[in-house]
Amino acid sequence: MKKFFLDHSVFLFLNRITKPNRKLLIYIFAIGCYSTFHSIIEPYAFKILIDSVSTNITSKTPKEINTPVVIIISMSFFILIAWRSRNYVSAKFFPLLKGEILSITLKNLKNKPYSFFQNNLTGELSTKVNDLLINSVNLINNLLMMFMQFTILTLSVIIAGTTNILFSFFFTTIITVFIVISYIFSKKINSYIIDYTDYRAINFGKVVDSLSNIFEIKIFAREDFELKQMEINTSKLIKKDQRMQLIATYNAIFLSLISFIIEIITILALVWLCTRNLVSAGDFAFIILISKKIIDQVWMFSDSILKLSEQINICRNSLNIFEKSNYQYFENDIKPLVISNGNILLKNITFKYNSEKAIFEDLNLKITGGTKVGIIGFSGQGKSTLTNLMTRIYETESGKILIDNQDISGVTVKSLRQQITIIPQNPNLFHRTILSNIQYGNLHASFEEVVRAAKIAHAHEFIQKLDKGYLATVGDKGLKLSRGQKQRIVIARAILKDSKIFILDEATSSLDKITEKKVQKSLFKLLKNKTIIVIAHKLEIMKEMDLIHIVNEGKIVASGTHINLLKFNHYYKSLWQREHGDLRTKH
């Protein structure tokens, strides 16, 4: 898998996706070979038949007349059977092929680091995957057709020479001219294809981005603005599409003119040869049929060259999403994380986003397993980034993160994330039922376990009031629910996961004070003896912490209990006063 994704060759990709069902592809290819043979032998059989019936038919034996008739009828029957069986096999092969493409691309995308999705529009990515899916299938079909077309042309040229060798030279020249012209046009159209497909993916990404923020559009009354932007982008897309289509049209016009000239020359040449008795009636009919076939096939072959260029470029462009620099490998040969105590140690951590100023520089932090640790600080000081580093959503630039003396860079990412639960400040839900959203924390959880988790999160009460209860769908990203309701669903989901380490990142910030205290009390009771990291702006919850760390400019500037910090740390004291108005410390 790794080797494949380091190579962007379209044909290596085609080899990869067809490998599981290669026998079906070979059968389709074999029928194509028979079809090319049939398409040439059938006109030749007609030539023999015409010659038989046009020259003193009374002197011919039944065998001389019946043989070409039997050949024609038999071949018509066999080609009918062959093509129907090909359709049957194709109906099995191409859906399997699409499934293989989706499996490979989606697996690769899901394994990409989180930063990749931050830097790319979701709509653009889905368009690229769809382009790859459609054009890979079309490319395989096109390659099969091109092989058939080229074989038919080759056999046509050879068999035309049996009538008169000059026809072989004539048709060879025609085919060469067509292919050269088509190749020149395909090279010319390449840049237009890439330009169009790139912009189409970006434009679709912007449309999806706009629709996913429909609430903001409506609340700011920006419908006209968004529509205007869409019209501008669509207008650019239309122009790029028209420019690409015009190149293909110019090619078609030019080839049509050549085809017309070829037909005239062929007919005049045959008439001239007939008047001199150099060709028979069968030869005349045969060459007319062959010339028509050659013109049709060379036309289709030329069109296939243009399509081939387009399909290869679109596939290659789509495959760029698999670049090594954006790929997060999940090695199978490294060991899983095993947690017993839940001790966490950050040693000399340095991290920054892209080329920005470092968020952390030589950061050190120790968290004892089974304790509740609070982290506070100004916004943008890296509190949430810490949790993303612990789960390897982001990778550190230097330093180590150890969990129970195991360097997390040396364990499987899956095992790491399975044993750390994050309850985020921005709760997101799938457009599925409440039951499936909560059950996401433990796919094997029973309905009773889901209800128990919902009760601990104080979500059961409002869920019961919904028309379909736990089977109610929540809408895209949970739009049918309030922020507080979504947050309680997310908490219930985290409870079901039941991991060794819990990170609460403003986990109850959207709840009213009464519900917040109830949820916190239930959570801390449930998570007794687990390692709990709490990130919060509200200091009320910090009274429950065993230790509190204050983060500022990427460093731990102070640590202590709630009471100690309230007495000796000016920053903590000022935050408490701002929140409570005095220095009351009673629990």
Side-chain angles (χ1 to χ4, degrees):
M1 184 67 70
K2 182 195 294 188
K3 184 179 179 181
F4 162 69
F5 282 118
L6 294 179
D7 194 328
H8 289 180
S9 166
V10 174
F11 290 99
L12 280 179
F13 178 71
L14 295 183
N15 179 64
R16 168 67 181 86
I17 61 177
T18 57
K19 190 175 182 179
N21 301 286
R22 191 67 53 81
K23 289 181 180 178
L24 296 177
L25 180 62
I26 290 172
Y27 183 83
I28 294 170
F29 176 77
I31 296 299
C33 292
Y34 174 74
S35 174
T36 59
F37 173 77
H38 172 272
S39 65
I40 298 303
I41 298 301
E42 188 179 48
Y44 196 77
F46 271 110
K47 161 189 154 44
I48 296 171
L49 179 62
I50 292 170
D51 281 339
S52 297
V53 299
S54 64
T55 57
N56 197 11
I57 191 170
T58 57
S59 65
K60 301 291 183 181
T61 65
K63 184 179 179 181
E64 288 179 290
I65 297 174
N66 291 339
T67 299
V69 172
V70 171
I71 291 173
I72 292 168
I73 293 173
S74 299
M75 291 189 68
S76 297
F77 174 75
F78 284 125
I79 196 66
L80 178 67
I81 298 299
W83 274 106
R84 296 295 74 78
S85 63
R86 185 184 189 274
N87 291 343
Y88 174 78
V89 174
S90 295
K92 295 181 68 176
F93 172 73
F94 285 105
L96 289 171
L97 182 71
K98 292 175 184 177
E100 186 69 17
I101 296 169
L102 282 176
S103 175
I104 291 172
T105 54
L106 294 180
K107 182 178 180 180
N108 187 270
L109 281 173
K110 287 178 180 178
N111 287 346
K112 285 191 176 295
Y114 185 66
S115 57
F116 172 79
F117 297 97
Q118 288 180 311
N119 296 323
N120 292 277
L121 290 168
T122 304
E124 182 181 355
L125 292 176
S126 58
T127 301
K128 294 258 188 182
V129 172
N130 189 56
D131 281 346
L132 185 61
L133 176 65
I134 293 171
N135 284 279
S136 295
V137 173
N138 290 343
L139 181 54
I140 290 172
N141 260 324
N142 195 27
L143 287 170
L144 289 172
M145 291 304 298
M146 286 184 73
F147 171 80
M148 290 171 59
Q149 290 156 4
F150 184 77
T151 305
I152 290 171
L153 289 172
T154 303
L155 292 177
S156 297
V157 168
I158 293 170
I159 206 165
T162 62
T163 301
N164 192 304
I165 193 65
L166 292 176
F167 283 113
S168 288
F169 289 118
F170 176 61
F171 289 136
T172 299
T173 304
I174 292 167
I175 292 168
T176 304
V177 170
F178 264 76
I179 291 175
V180 169
I181 291 171
S182 298
Y183 178 75
I184 292 171
F185 272 98
S186 70
K187 294 282 284 184
K188 186 176 181 62
I189 203 173
N190 274 349
S191 60
Y192 296 105
I193 292 169
I194 294 171
D195 189 33
Y196 167 72
T197 53
D198 270 347
Y199 193 80
R200 186 185 60 160
I202 293 170
N203 187 50
F204 186 75
K206 289 178 179 179
V207 171
V208 173
D209 182 55
S210 179
L211 291 175
S212 64
N213 290 285
I214 193 67
F215 179 79
E216 284 72 19
I217 292 172
K218 290 188 174 296
I219 206 69
F220 284 96
R222 291 291 183 264
E223 291 90 346
D224 291 342
F225 171 78
E226 291 294 325
L227 185 61
K228 183 67 176 176
Q229 292 298 311
M230 187 178 71
E231 288 174 350
I232 292 171
N233 293 331
T234 302
S235 177
K236 290 180 181 178
L237 185 66
I238 290 170
K239 288 179 181 178
K240 292 176 185 293
D241 193 8
Q242 287 176 335
R243 187 171 57 179
M244 182 180 69
Q245 298 296 340
L246 281 172
I247 297 294
T249 302
Y250 295 150
N251 178 61
I253 292 171
F254 192 69
L255 293 180
S256 295
L257 181 61
I258 295 176
S259 299
F260 177 69
I261 294 171
I262 290 168
E263 286 191 54
I264 294 173
I265 293 174
T266 303
I267 293 170
L268 292 176
L270 283 169
V271 170
W272 185 83
L273 290 169
C274 276
T275 58
R276 285 159 178 76
N277 293 321
L278 295 176
V279 292
S280 66
D283 291 334
F284 190 97
F286 174 66
I287 292 298
I288 288 292
L289 288 173
I290 284 294
S291 66
K292 286 282 187 183
K293 186 174 291 294
I294 287 175
I295 290 171
D296 288 343
Q297 292 299 319
V298 81
W299 180 274
M300 288 190 289
F301 190 76
S302 300
D303 187 53
S304 294
I305 290 174
L306 287 177
K307 287 180 179 177
L308 183 72
S309 176
E310 178 181 352
Q311 290 156 356
I312 288 176
N313 277 287
I314 292 174
C315 287
R316 183 184 291 119
N317 200 29
S318 297
L319 282 170
N320 286 336
I321 60 178
F322 300 127
E323 286 182 354
K324 179 183 177 183
S325 59
N326 290 325
Y327 190 72
Q328 181 174 335
Y329 295 113
F330 286 70
E331 302 288 359
N332 294 319
D333 57 347
I334 57 178
K335 59 187 178 181
L337 175 68
V338 179
I339 297 180
S340 53
N341 300 317
N343 295 312
I344 302 172
L345 179 63
L346 283 73
K347 295 177 65 175
N348 309 117
I349 297 299
T350 298
F351 174 77
K352 61 183 178 181
Y353 294 104
N354 299 323
S355 59
E356 297 177 8
K357 180 183 176 183
I359 304 296
F360 298 118
E361 196 163 354
D362 202 28
L363 173 71
N364 291 280
L365 176 63
K366 182 179 181 180
I367 298 173
T368 304
T371 62
K372 298 188 290 292
V373 175
I375 298 177
I376 65 169
F378 291 113
S379 296
Q381 295 301 311
K383 302 185 299 298
S384 297
T385 303
L386 270 177
T387 68
N388 290 329
L389 292 175
M390 290 180 193
T391 52
R392 287 182 65 188
I393 296 295
Y394 300 121
E395 300 286 352
T396 60
E397 289 194 13
S398 63
K400 292 182 178 181
I401 299 177
L402 306 174
I403 297 180
D404 283 348
N405 296 317
Q406 300 163 84
D407 189 342
I408 66 170
S409 65
V411 301
T412 60
V413 177
K414 185 176 181 179
S415 68
L416 171 69
R417 294 174 184 169
Q418 282 176 336
Q419 299 189 69
I420 298 178
T421 295
I422 297 179
I423 306 178
Q425 57 181 315
N426 296 315
N428 279 322
L429 301 177
F430 293 97
H431 186 15
R432 302 170 189 172
T433 64
I434 289 176
L435 176 64
S436 61
N437 269 287
I438 296 177
Q439 216 168 27
Y440 207 74
N442 179 0
L443 298 177
H444 304 292
S446 65
F447 179 74
E448 290 73 21
E449 289 172 317
V450 170
V451 173
R452 175 178 170 272
K455 287 180 177 178
I456 295 172
H458 292 271
H460 182 69
E461 296 87 345
F462 82 80
I463 294 173
Q464 281 188 312
K465 295 176 182 178
L466 299 173
D467 288 340
K468 295 183 180 180
Y470 282 87
L471 297 180
T473 54
V474 301
D476 186 33
K477 297 182 180 179
L479 286 174
K480 293 182 180 180
L481 303 178
S482 69
R483 185 178 174 85
Q485 289 172 330
K486 287 194 291 183
Q487 199 158 51
R488 278 177 276 176
I489 296 293
V490 169
I491 292 170
R493 181 168 67 193
I495 290 169
L496 265 192
K497 187 178 178 183
D498 191 30
S499 59
K500 301 287 187 179
I501 299 171
F502 271 75
I503 301 174
L504 281 60
D505 188 355
E506 299 286 350
T508 57
S509 59
S510 298
L511 306 179
D512 61 84
K513 284 189 176 182
I514 295 174
T515 306
E516 184 177 28
K517 286 186 177 181
K518 287 180 179 179
V519 172
Q520 288 173 1
K521 184 178 179 181
S522 300
L523 266 177
F524 291 146
K525 183 179 179 181
L526 178 72
L527 304 180
K528 189 177 180 181
N529 298 324
K530 293 182 182 289
T531 303
I532 302 174
I533 301 171
V534 177
I535 298 170
H537 287 103
K538 297 178 183 178
L539 298 189
E540 186 67 30
I541 194 174
M542 291 298 155
K543 293 191 298 183
E544 305 293 332
M545 300 298 105
D546 299 310
L547 190 64
I548 303 166
H549 299 290
I550 300 175
V551 179
N552 187 33
E553 295 185 354
K555 294 184 181 298
I556 305 295
V557 295
S559 301
T561 63
H562 168 68
I563 294 176
N564 287 338
L565 289 174
L566 201 57
K567 288 180 179 178
F568 303 112
N569 187 273
H570 176 73
Y571 170 71
Y572 190 84
K573 185 191 299 183
S574 64
L575 288 179
W576 181 267
Q577 287 177 321
R578 191 182 308 165
E579 188 175 310
H580 294 80
D582 55 36
L583 294 178
R584 290 176 295 174
T585 61
K586 59 184 179 181
H587 288 57

